[in-house]
Amino acid sequence: IACHQAGMKNVVASSGTALTHEQVKLLKRYSPNIAMAFDADKAGVAAAKRGIDIALSEGLNVRAISIPEGAGKDADECLQKNPQVWFDSVKNAKDVMDWFFTMAFVGKDVSGPKVKQQIANELLPLIGLIPYAVERDYWLKQLSDRLGVDMTALRDDLKRFEKEAQKSNKPIIIADKKPAAILTRLDMLLDRLLMILMSHHDQISRHLDSIKTEYYQRAAQADLYEIIKNHYNTVSDKSMIFWPTFFDQSDHKEQFENLKMLSELALADLSEVDLETEIRNTILQIKLEWTKKKRKETEQALVAASSASNPDKALIEKLFIDLQNIN
């Protein structure tokens, strides 16, 4: 907000969360160039690293904005103290790999092999994220020259990082990340349907009867679906529905914003005919996935009940009936 008030309009904030692949892909639609500013404390640097690795892997030209010491911990403080310092900092933003090299080498004596290895361990995973061979080779050469180490040794280490990443099924990243929850195909389909309903609320009345409440079983999804359905049903003039304003006062604001952003990325180019087909197909796939999941859960419960040392006949009979009625 402070940047926009100062006249710098091409600025977005990540609202206190680390950048995601979806956000970076959305930004990439507008420009291949991105400059990142972050708080100067350790937490800010760590957050920046988590976003930078994603931006690098997407092939963006990434630069790092460094605010001079004492000029403010972030863009807002810097603008309050001296707007020109902020504008100069943006203008003089370093290529992000230059910035990482500076951070890795500062205050270190590179005459010893252990320090050389430590710096290599810090920078090679980042170099490995760069998708372009020529650019990646350039930074390997820079690291080789500054460490006084043969490039063959650095390439061997880079291959080691790549193998370790493949074994653990993780991308090569510099910062630790909390593993994301594993989403099932049903979860993804349900999220997609929510995206469509929020982006095209005129479609809700046509398909509401086809969507069973029990499809939405995860707490976060269920709450959001109920909010959307209830709000739609209580508003007399459907043309006056404006979800961003409604969700501003909701505990689900962040969840709504994430889905809204994803919908802009995934659904922007669909025509009205394609959108109608997409909704019908999505609901059909949800029904199939939900039925398959429900049948499997009921079958497992039936086996467990039948195998119990003291079987509950009433429960077994109920589960058997439930299984017959799943469709």
Side-chain angles (χ1 to χ4, degrees):
I1 293 172
C3 289
H4 280 248
Q5 288 174 338
M8 186 180 285
K9 305 294 187 183
N10 54 330
V11 182
V12 292
S14 57
S15 299
T17 60
L19 277 177
T20 66
H21 276 284
E22 290 77 14
Q23 289 170 332
V24 170
K25 286 177 181 176
L26 188 59
L27 289 170
K28 192 177 177 181
R29 292 173 61 187
Y30 297 95
S31 174
N33 306 306
I34 183 170
M36 292 190 179
F38 45 89
D39 291 359
D41 56 17
K42 287 184 178 180
V45 173
K49 287 178 178 178
R50 288 193 294 271
I52 287 169
D53 61 11
I54 295 173
L56 284 174
S57 67
E58 289 292 337
L60 285 167
N61 303 316
V62 187
R63 303 181 75 80
I65 301 168
S66 296
I67 300 171
E69 190 173 346
K73 71 177 180 66
D74 56 22
D76 182 36
E77 276 193 14
C78 186
L79 283 163
Q80 288 181 35
K81 289 185 177 183
N82 188 336
Q84 191 57 49
V85 172
W86 168 251
F87 278 84
D88 289 342
S89 297
V90 173
K91 182 180 178 182
N92 299 321
K94 276 187 174 183
D95 182 283
V96 76
M97 290 306 299
D98 277 327
W99 181 78
F100 274 125
F101 268 66
T102 300
M103 297 284 287
F105 278 92
V106 67
K108 294 196 176 87
D109 178 5
V110 294
S111 59
K114 288 189 180 297
V115 176
K116 290 178 189 285
Q117 188 64 60
Q118 178 189 344
I119 293 172
N121 289 348
E122 187 173 339
L123 293 175
L124 283 173
L126 284 161
I127 294 172
L129 286 169
I130 299 170
Y132 308 119
V134 172
E135 188 180 350
R136 194 165 57 243
D137 217 52
Y138 170 84
W139 289 110
L140 278 173
K141 180 70 165 57
Q142 293 295 310
L143 185 57
S144 170
D145 291 344
R146 293 194 62 174
L147 288 178
V149 173
D150 192 273
M151 278 186 69
T152 304
L154 293 177
R155 285 199 175 95
D156 287 344
D157 260 358
L158 186 57
K159 288 178 183 176
R160 175 172 59 83
F161 279 116
E162 289 171 346
K163 285 180 181 177
E164 289 174 359
Q166 288 169 359
K167 283 180 183 178
S168 60
N169 198 30
K170 292 178 182 177
I172 303 174
I173 56 174
I174 191 168
D176 291 333
K177 286 184 180 178
K178 183 180 178 181
I182 298 173
L183 296 181
T184 65
R185 173 169 165 74
L186 178 59
D187 288 328
M188 290 185 281
L189 286 166
L190 289 168
D191 281 347
R192 187 168 183 82
L193 184 58
L194 282 176
M195 284 160 39
I196 297 171
L197 296 181
M198 288 188 293
S199 300
H200 302 82
H201 66 260
D202 55 306
Q203 297 283 342
I204 295 177
S205 60
R206 302 182 199 176
H207 302 283
L208 206 56
D209 292 340
S210 305
I211 307 168
K212 294 182 180 180
T213 303
E214 54 261 40
Y215 289 161
Y216 285 93
Q217 293 179 325
R218 282 202 299 140
Q221 289 176 326
D223 291 348
L224 198 60
Y225 173 67
E226 285 299 317
I227 289 171
I228 291 171
K229 183 176 72 173
N230 293 338
H231 183 58
Y232 182 83
N233 286 334
T234 56
V235 175
S236 56
D237 186 353
K238 309 303 183 190
S239 65
M240 296 301 292
I241 292 178
F242 189 60
W243 296 116
T245 302
F246 176 72
F247 276 99
D248 275 346
Q249 308 302 320
S250 167
D251 293 337
H252 297 276
K253 180 181 178 182
E254 185 174 346
Q255 186 187 6
F256 162 75
E257 288 177 343
N258 286 338
L259 287 174
K260 185 73 169 66
M261 181 196 68
L262 289 172
S263 73
E264 291 171 1
L265 186 64
L267 308 171
D269 299 327
L270 290 182
S271 67
E272 284 298 316
V273 174
D274 290 338
L275 184 66
E276 178 74 20
T277 304
E278 177 72 18
I279 294 174
R280 293 187 183 281
N281 286 343
T282 301
I283 293 174
L284 176 60
Q285 290 301 313
I286 287 172
K287 181 180 179 181
L288 292 173
E289 288 294 322
W290 181 85
T291 301
K292 184 167 65 175
K293 178 175 180 285
K294 190 70 174 176
R295 182 174 288 116
K296 183 179 179 180
E297 290 174 348
T298 307
E299 286 173 347
Q300 289 172 341
L302 186 56
V303 170
S306 302
S307 305
S309 56
N310 187 20
D312 184 337
K313 292 183 179 180
L315 175 60
I316 292 172
E317 185 178 348
K318 179 183 181 301
L319 289 170
F320 186 77
I321 293 171
D322 289 345
L323 188 60
Q324 300 303 312
N325 291 332
I326 295 172
N327 52 53

